Amino acid sequence: MNPYLAGTLLGLVLLLAMVVSGRGLGASGGVKYCVVSIVGAVSPQHVESSEYYSKYFENSKKPLTNWLVLEIFGVVAGGFISGAVSGRLKLKVEKSPKITVSRRLIFAFLGGVFFVYGGQLARGCTSGAALSGMAVLSVAGFVTMITIFGSAYMFAWVFRKNWI
Amino acid sequence: MAPLSSLYVFPEWLNMLMAFLIGTGFGFALEQAGFSSSRKLAGMFYGYDATVLKVFFTAAIVALIGSQFLGFFGVLNLNQVYVNEFYVTASVVGGFIMGAGFIMGGFCPGTGICAMSIGKIDAMVFVAGGFVGAFLFTETYSLIEGLATAQYRGPVKINEVLGLSPGVFTMILVVAAVGMFWLAELAEKRFARPDITNDL
């Protein structure tokens, strides 16, 4: 789809989220709730002893039945529908022909670790902090957007062999 | 006045259904934008593909103008819409870490989940890394709590800091975005890499 048209669609979804729920879109928050839920299932003692985890289970709350978690389940469904409509469903590793599959996967893994860690610290990633934040004129949104993109440009030279 | 969540107490199942449907729209829009491809996303940082900038700023402007209008006509109460709280240190350091993750992994969390859904194995590995990142954060939170809560400024709005009305700031942002779109189109010609973009 034309990028300006796709951007308009994304903006309308964000606006709908604001009208329905009073908050924007998010991705990394849902990942955190999934992790908290897994830790709670694997080691209930660890959850009870941790001040950070225990607040997610107060009043017998279930972290998996949460707005942010259902939202990322929806992202999986919506991405799949779009991929099916446009004929892009295919199991594959996407990478530059100049690098090996294992190199691509190692960097993909590290990227995920860094991105979600930083997203938790900044209280939102590209969607929850930068995009949704800018749409409500929050300074935090603009600062996060500038630092994410600024930092990626700074490191682009270091990791150029992975991409070009 | 909307947000609807401030008017009605929805039953749990309806809340979850709405979250799922909004997520579905989100995932659909991301995938249609071409964000299920890490090489397309990374093109932003090497100049050969500026789709990220075009989609990101178009979406921000549409939602910003839309919410201002809905607020003006009394449909949406903007005081009830969440404004991100500004922790200066956490935003800057967190953003810096996220940028490093972006150029290593080629995805952000939303686009990673979206790419995973169409079968990109590298995206599945990225999301697995994201789970580990969230786990590391919760486990190390007590060590970095000082950093995470330093220099709290509250939910400050950029137009208020600059002493402008929301409408004037929005207009300035629209003009800036159009300028960036123009530069983006120039950059794509200047740094074109047909060897990469023909594959995507």
Side-chain angles (χ1 to χ4, degrees):
Chain A
M1 194 185 279
N2 173 294
Y4 299 108
L5 189 60
T8 304
L9 184 64
L10 181 58
L12 291 175
V13 174
L14 172 53
L15 184 61
L16 180 68
M18 286 159 79
V19 170
V20 170
S21 70
R23 59 182 154 181
L25 300 168
S28 51
V31 172
K32 177 177 71 188
Y33 278 94
C34 290
V35 167
V36 167
S37 182
I38 293 168
V39 173
V42 173
S43 173
Q45 301 95 323
H46 185 58
V47 166
E48 274 171 42
S49 63
S50 152
E51 203 185 314
Y52 190 88
Y53 283 116
S54 55
K55 65 176 188 247
Y56 292 101
F57 292 90
E58 276 166 7
N59 310 322
S60 59
K61 271 191 290 199
K62 293 193 195 75
L64 263 190
T65 52
N66 169 284
W67 181 278
L68 294 168
V69 173
L70 267 292
E71 186 174 344
I72 63 169
F73 289 168
V75 172
V76 173
F80 183 84
I81 293 168
S82 165
V85 170
S86 301
R88 280 192 286 262
L89 296 180
K90 196 181 173 201
L91 265 183
K92 71 165 185 176
V93 175
E94 186 186 352
K95 62 172 191 66
S96 160
K98 294 172 191 159
I99 61 169
T100 61
V101 168
S102 51
R103 183 184 168 100
R104 169 70 189 121
L105 295 183
I106 289 166
F107 276 101
F109 185 82
L110 285 175
V113 174
F114 273 71
F115 215 128
V116 175
Y117 192 97
Q120 296 303 320
L121 181 57
R123 295 168 178 79
C125 57
T126 337
S127 32
L131 178 60
S132 305
M134 282 171 62
V136 292
L137 296 173
S138 89
V139 177
F142 283 88
V143 169
T144 311
M145 183 272 295
I146 291 167
T147 49
I148 292 174
F149 285 91
S151 156
Y153 274 108
M154 257 180 56
F155 288 114
W157 189 80
V158 178
F159 297 106
R160 67 192 182 285
K161 293 218 168 72
N162 287 353
W163 302 108
I164 55 172
Chain B
M1 279 205 290
L4 302 179
S5 57
S6 71
L7 296 177
Y8 311 103
V9 179
F10 292 118
E12 183 76 0
W13 68 267
L14 186 56
N15 237 329
M16 295 300 100
L17 180 65
M18 289 190 298
F20 183 80
L21 292 177
I22 286 173
T24 306
F26 184 23
F28 187 88
L30 289 176
E31 211 288 324
Q32 282 298 316
F35 284 179
S36 53
S37 162
S38 57
R39 296 179 82 197
K40 193 174 182 68
L41 290 160
M44 184 69 221
F45 304 105
Y46 300 98
Y48 63 81
D49 190 310
T51 306
V52 170
L53 183 141
K54 297 177 201 171
V55 174
F56 187 89
F57 276 92
T58 307
I61 286 169
V62 166
L64 183 56
I65 296 175
S67 59
Q68 302 283 325
F69 266 100
L70 294 180
F72 182 77
F73 290 113
V75 179
L76 176 65
N77 181 358
L78 289 173
N79 293 326
Q80 297 269 350
V81 175
Y82 174 76
V83 177
N84 307 54
E85 301 192 83
F86 188 29
Y87 292 84
V88 181
T89 314
S91 284
V92 171
V93 177
F96 189 76
I97 298 172
M98 285 191 269
F102 206 164
I103 204 69
M104 282 190 258
F107 293 112
C108 59
T111 53
I113 294 166
C114 161
M116 179 179 87
S117 74
I118 66 154
K120 293 279 166 74
I121 295 162
D122 44 328
M124 297 172 194
V125 173
F126 177 89
V127 173
F131 272 70
V132 173
F135 180 70
L136 286 177
F137 183 82
T138 53
E139 294 298 325
T140 57
Y141 185 73
S142 54
L143 303 174
I144 56 159
E145 195 171 356
L147 181 86
T149 54
Q151 297 195 63
Y152 176 59
R153 296 282 187 274
V156 276
K157 292 194 177 185
I158 193 161
N159 60 298
E160 288 167 5
V161 173
L162 299 172
L164 299 169
S165 74
V168 169
F169 184 84
T170 302
M171 202 180 72
I172 293 171
L173 193 67
V174 171
V175 172
V178 171
M180 285 191 291
F181 295 153
W182 180 71
L183 286 175
E185 301 289 347
L186 283 183
E188 283 179 346
K189 290 194 184 77
R190 167 82 177 75
F191 301 104
R193 290 292 300 264
D195 55 324
I196 297 174
T197 40
N198 290 344
D199 278 355
L200 301 178

